[in-house]
Amino acid sequence: MTPAFDVAIVGAGAAGLFCAGIAGQRGLRVLLLDHAPKMAEKIRISGGGRCNFTNRDLDPHQPQRHFLSQNPAFCRSALARYTPADFIALLQRHGVAWQEKHKGQLFCTRSAQDLIDLLLRECGAGGVTHWQPCRVLHVAYSDATHAEGAAALPYTLQTERGSVVCRSLVVASGGLPVPKIGASDWGLRLAQQFGLGLVEPRPALVPLTFEPQSWAPYAHLAGLALPVRINTGSKKQAMAFDEDLLFTHRGLSGPAGLQISSYWNPGQALRIDLHPQARLDAALQTAKAAGGRKLLPNALAQHLPQRLCDIWTQHRPDWQRPLSDCSDKALAQLAESLHHWAPSPSGDEGWAKAEVMRGGVDTRQLSSQSLESSQPGLYFIGEVVDVTGWLGGYNFQWAWASAHACALAL
Ligand code: FDA
């Protein structure tokens, strides 16, 4: 006889494992499937191996503030019903140690493996059947036209381990980043199979790149990081971050570069203040008035890394003089160029280097309460949905919260 389950969950990553554990503990017969040979690789590699699993700054009254979506209010219901405090309580019940770092980011103290073990224990407590690696070859839906039994179990999955039938199907197959550890477009294709719309998937939290010729002078700065204020320069969708910017051989990265990449669109210039702490024109004027004889790049190095000062000033003879010989205009222009740098990225490092996917299954066909789609019994949770969090634990919190909302509705 064909094995029967209340629910089949495809994707045993953050969202799938969490959903399976809760649904199983509610008494449902759960089958969890994943095609990857290694389990929960994204959790394992995240946060430098310690998994930044949530963020305490998530605002319970306006949880959508830290997320992007074409339907911005959609994520609110799930995030408000399962908060960072709820996940912290779960960690505490399992004795998993965690610590807070920069800007409310919470990490496992020891290793991301502690979190994977926790999720597997929760699945064990729910009696979840876990097939991994196992590919799903085909999904069919038959409505009430068949016998009573078939109507109650309308989904048939053909898998590498044979066919199964189930009442509900949960898609937790994640986004497109890092294909070499198991990412696939399966969930997006399944949505299309059932007539659901997609918001164009694009890499997000990804290093930005530049035309090699225009980037050549800055390539010498590779490895240098400094605190900046960065924004997209778009009036329509103004978004600014105060974070560290990292120069790379091909472009910009670090928290500032990654955060802004989620809001950047091709053709846009960025706006970057390389010294947001204070106005440089005033500081340089004061140093000049004090009779400074240092070369301008060296005087500037009181405020910014020397390597940056050297590269920044090298192409202008009037920025190569002793400070006291520089005109006020030259100083003002130098300060302006540093406070209002407007580089235009030509692209990004793509799916291999992105941390997350922007876009995905269009939320306008999903219930914000249950994550069920307009196709009865078909649910989408986690990153496959058009909800993208900021850097700093927000994407995992969306995985937990959407999985929780779905599991309670199954
Ligand atoms: P997830 O990707 O976790 O799981 C999807 C699962 O589905 C995978 O196991 C995959 O093998 C499986 N699958 C795919 N296609 C399938 C198919 N056809 N059949 C069967 N199974 C299939 N976020 C954060 O909040 N804090 C952080 O510190 C980080 N750090 C980080 C670092 C790096 C390098 C990356 C790439 C990403 C992050 N993220 C992050 C993002 C975070 O990892 C991501 O948002 C969540 O893992 C999403 O959880 P999901 O369960 O939706 O997908």
Side-chain angles (χ1 to χ4, degrees):
M1 221 175 86
T2 313
F5 293 89
D6 293 307
V7 54
I9 301 174
V10 179
L17 281 164
F18 195 50
C19 185
I22 300 172
Q25 289 175 44
R26 288 188 57 229
L28 302 181
R29 293 166 303 164
V30 180
L31 172 64
L32 178 64
L33 295 142
D34 199 298
H35 67 169
K38 283 192 180 169
M39 220 176 288
E41 269 299 274
K42 275 205 188 151
I43 300 180
R44 194 189 313 281
I45 63 170
S46 65
R50 295 227 172 122
C51 186
N52 175 197
F53 56 82
T54 193
N55 195 303
R56 250 201 227 276
D57 289 351
L58 197 144
D59 180 351
H61 303 294
Q62 270 197 312
Q64 71 273 29
R65 197 163 71 82
H66 296 102
F67 293 84
L68 296 83
S69 171
Q70 294 241 321
N71 185 9
F74 175 82
C75 59
R76 191 175 168 164
S77 168
L79 288 164
R81 285 181 292 142
Y82 194 83
T83 65
D86 292 319
F87 199 73
I88 292 167
L90 176 68
L91 260 63
Q92 276 161 348
R93 281 203 297 282
H94 282 260
V96 173
W98 53 271
Q99 62 191 96
E100 184 163 348
K101 292 198 184 165
H102 182 64
K103 296 195 174 181
Q105 300 169 5
L106 305 191
F107 290 76
C108 295
T109 304
R110 219 178 59 88
S111 152
Q113 187 63 43
D114 287 349
L115 193 46
I116 299 171
D117 293 343
L118 175 159
L119 293 167
L120 290 172
R121 278 198 299 278
E122 289 286 316
C123 286
V128 171
T129 304
H130 188 164
W131 292 355
Q132 183 165 3
C134 178
R135 280 194 310 139
V136 178
L137 307 171
H138 186 252
V139 175
Y141 175 78
S142 74
D143 56 20
T145 53
H146 289 70
E148 212 175 281
L153 299 165
Y155 288 95
T156 303
L157 274 61
Q158 276 169 26
T159 82
E160 283 179 328
R161 299 196 194 181
S163 291
V164 296
V165 287
C166 54
R167 176 165 54 80
S168 305
L169 175 59
V170 177
V171 178
S173 56
L176 298 176
V178 204
K180 72 173 184 211
I181 57 166
S184 82
D185 65 353
W186 186 85
L188 301 177
R189 284 190 284 111
L190 193 84
Q192 287 179 311
Q193 178 186 329
F194 286 101
L196 305 173
L198 302 180
V199 174
E200 187 198 355
R202 297 242 322 264
L205 298 181
V206 62
L208 294 168
T209 55
F210 292 78
E211 291 300 340
Q213 216 180 343
S214 71
W215 194 248
Y218 307 105
H220 299 290
L221 295 173
L224 185 142
L226 75 165
V228 304
R229 163 161 286 210
I230 191 164
N231 69 57
T232 47
S234 148
K235 285 204 182 83
K236 203 169 133 218
Q237 197 189 28
M239 181 56 70
F241 293 95
D242 291 302
E243 290 281 8
D244 282 357
L245 183 71
L246 174 70
F247 285 80
T248 73
H249 289 289
R250 289 161 48 86
L252 294 172
S253 187
L258 298 179
Q259 293 280 39
I260 211 66
S261 72
S262 299
Y263 291 87
W264 175 78
N265 290 309
Q268 273 178 350
L270 302 173
R271 290 226 316 267
I272 304 177
D273 184 346
L274 291 164
H275 193 265
Q277 307 87 328
R279 294 296 305 178
L280 285 167
D281 21 7
L284 292 173
Q285 289 293 353
T286 308
K288 179 182 166 184
R293 291 299 303 162
K294 274 187 185 166
L295 282 178
L296 179 54
N298 297 343
L300 188 62
Q302 304 278 318
H303 310 280
L304 286 163
Q306 181 77 54
R307 206 148 50 107
L308 175 69
C309 301
D310 292 341
I311 299 254
W312 207 265
T313 52
Q314 67 184 358
H315 64 286
R316 285 271 302 257
D318 57 341
W319 290 349
Q320 291 293 324
R321 299 183 181 147
L323 184 55
S324 52
D325 296 349
C326 291
S327 69
D328 290 352
K329 189 173 163 200
L331 295 183
Q333 285 175 343
L334 175 58
E336 178 70 12
S337 72
L338 289 157
H339 286 301
H340 295 111
W341 187 31
S344 282
S346 58
D348 59 54
E349 295 281 6
W351 295 116
K353 294 282 166 62
E355 281 202 10
V356 76
M357 176 175 82
R358 192 174 150 183
V361 176
D362 193 333
T363 59
R364 286 166 284 213
Q365 294 139 323
L366 304 183
S367 156
S368 62
Q369 290 288 313
S370 65
L371 284 297
E372 186 175 17
S373 68
S374 48
Q375 159 70 26
L378 179 62
Y379 298 74
F380 292 84
I381 59 174
E383 195 178 319
V384 72
V385 177
D386 172 33
V387 173
T388 308
W390 285 10
L391 188 77
Y394 296 99
N395 285 296
F396 277 126
Q397 187 59 35
W398 168 245
W400 318 133
S402 58
H404 175 262
C406 171
L408 294 189
L410 286 167

